[in-house]
Amino acid sequence: MHTVLTSPLELATHPVMLDTVEQLLGPDILLYNVVYIVKEPGSAAHVAWHQDLTYWGFDNDLQVSAWLALSPATTDSGAMMMIPGSHTGGRLVHSVGTGGPNVLDNDQYVSGVDDSEAVQCPLAPGEASFHHGWTLHASRPNTSSDRRIGLNIQYLHPSMRQTLHDQDTAMLVRGTDDHGNFGDDIPATGNLEPLAMVRRAEQGALIKGSYVTALESN
Ligand SMILES: O=C(O)CCC(=O)C(=O)O
């Protein structure tokens, strides 16, 4: 979204966000991806237990995911839940096919997660949580009367390398990139400009295909 709309770009590069990410990744930061995750009121959509890094094809785990609340994320509206300490266990096997309305693109999930160990992460609009790519997380359906809107923002250390193809892109948002492992994303200069939309569609198709490959190699 940061290549086709200006407001997610501004939010993902806001100094308060980057100062927090710097504490986790160090001074050199790439912005990898920004996506809205919306759950409509009363919809059955849920997010199954998963780890972000499992299917992105990276050679390392110097990454952090931010989730910025743009509306109230409460227990009723389906705030994220996380399993404390799960980031220390490395990559877990993901299956495909929950049989339900799983918001995740490939309907992937980790089976056997004990919900009673989960910690709810409610957020007021403007608050954000940060989790590592091995952290097991999920969310339940939105039973409130309001939309639950989050902005998911992915940051990487520049030494991360894509192993599934050689055309991945990112944007240097702080510090320096001494590695050159990614092509350059072009920041949005307007909203939904046709050329930016074409570039996003092409990159999206490439990435979606490679996620499936990564899941299949479980
Ligand atoms: O929005 C959600 O409920 C889940 C978000 C998520 O999976 C993520 O931020 O990695």
Side-chain angles (χ1 to χ4, degrees), residues 126-137:
E127 290 183 332
S129 62
F130 294 81
H131 63 271
H132 186 257
W134 295 137
T135 306
L136 272 169
H137 56 291

Side-chain angles (χ1 to χ4, degrees), residues 62-100:
L62 301 173
Q63 168 274 350
V64 65
S65 302
W67 200 97
L68 175 63
L70 300 180
S71 70
T74 62
T75 305
D76 283 349
S77 72
M80 257 198 297
M81 310 179 286
M82 304 194 195
I83 303 290
S86 53
H87 64 290
T88 59
R91 177 179 169 144
L92 297 168
V93 171
H94 285 58
S95 306
V96 174
T98 58

Side-chain angles (χ1 to χ4, degrees), residues 37 39 47 50 52 67 78 80 104 131 137 139 148 152:
I37 306 184
K39 284 197 287 193
V47 175
H50 69 285
D52 293 338
W67 200 97
M80 257 198 297
L104 300 177
H131 63 271
H137 56 291
S139 66
R148 195 223 60 169
N152 170 283

Side-chain angles (χ1 to χ4, degrees), residues 81-207:
M81 310 179 286
M82 304 194 195
I83 303 290
S86 53
H87 64 290
T88 59
R91 177 179 169 144
L92 297 168
V93 171
H94 285 58
S95 306
V96 174
T98 58
N102 184 1
V103 172
L104 300 177
D105 273 350
N106 297 299
D107 196 19
Q108 67 270 32
Y109 67 100
V110 173
S111 57
V113 179
D114 181 359
D115 271 36
S116 69
E117 289 178 19
V119 171
Q120 290 279 341
C121 306
L123 296 170
E127 290 183 332
S129 62
F130 294 81
H131 63 271
H132 186 257
W134 295 137
T135 306
L136 272 169
H137 56 291
S139 66
R140 297 196 175 112
N142 178 2
T143 58
S144 77
S145 55
D146 193 11
R147 292 178 104 188
R148 195 223 60 169
I149 310 170
L151 192 66
N152 170 283
I153 310 167
Q154 303 295 333
Y155 301 96
L156 306 179
H157 186 268
S159 64
M160 293 278 276
R161 186 185 287 275
Q162 176 58 258
T163 63
L164 299 173
H165 57 85
D166 59 4
Q167 295 166 71
D168 215 350
T169 56
M171 188 184 293
L172 184 67
V173 289
R174 188 167 275 186
T176 53
D177 177 356
D178 295 328
H179 301 269
N181 292 339
F182 293 84
D184 292 329
D185 273 338
I186 301 174
T189 51
N191 290 320
L192 306 179
E193 287 176 342
L195 264 180
M197 294 297 284
V198 169
R199 277 196 301 267
R200 175 175 171 270
E202 286 170 356
Q203 192 65 12
L206 177 73
I207 286 171

